[in-house]
Amino acid sequence: MYSILQNLHSLWAYLVLLLLVIASANSWMGLSSKKDFANKDFRIALFTLIVSHIQLLIGLVAYFMSPYFASISEVGMGEVMKDSTLRLYVVEHPSVMIIAIVLITMGFSKHKKKETASEKFKTIALLYSIALVLVLSRLPWSAWLA
C-alpha cells in the first residue's frame, strides 16, 4: 500500500509543480502587463490550490505509513537529525512542503480581498512564487528523478 501512495505522491507532484509554475508565471505576466484579473486567472490559482491540497493529503498519509516515519522510533530523533537522508524525508521535506502549501493558501485567500487586478496578481505572484522556491528546495531530487 505504501508503494502505491509513494508513486501517486511522486506523480501528483509533477502536476503540482506544473500548475505552480503556470500560476506564478501567469500572475507575474498579469502584473507586468497590467491586464484585468479574469476568470481564467482565478481558475488557475484555484486549481493550483486544490491540486496542492490533494498532494498534502496524499503526502501526509504516505508519511505516516513510510519506513522513514518508523525510523523515528527505531533510531530516535537524534540519529534521524544526524543522517541527512533521514532528516530530509522525516523533517525537512514534510515541514517545508506544509509551509509552501500554507503560502499557496494564503495567496489564494488574500487575493480575494484585494480590490484591484494589480493587487490580486501581486499577492498571488509573490506568495505562489515563494512557495515554488520552497517546493523546489526540498524535493528529494535523487529519488524523484531516478
Side-chain angles (χ1 to χ4, degrees), residues 84-101:
S84 62
T85 302
L86 278 177
R87 187 177 59 242
L88 173 66
Y89 285 108
V90 173
V91 179
E92 294 172 357
H93 177 76
S95 58
V96 171
M97 297 305 169
I98 289 170
I99 292 168
I101 291 173

Side-chain angles (χ1 to χ4, degrees), residues 13-40:
Y14 287 107
L15 183 59
V16 172
L17 272 178
L18 176 66
L19 286 174
L20 197 50
V21 167
I22 290 170
S24 297
N26 180 64
S27 294
W28 286 112
M29 288 187 295
L31 182 62
S32 66
S33 68
K34 300 185 186 326
K35 70 176 192 163
D36 286 335
F37 193 83
N39 278 337
K40 171 195 73 109

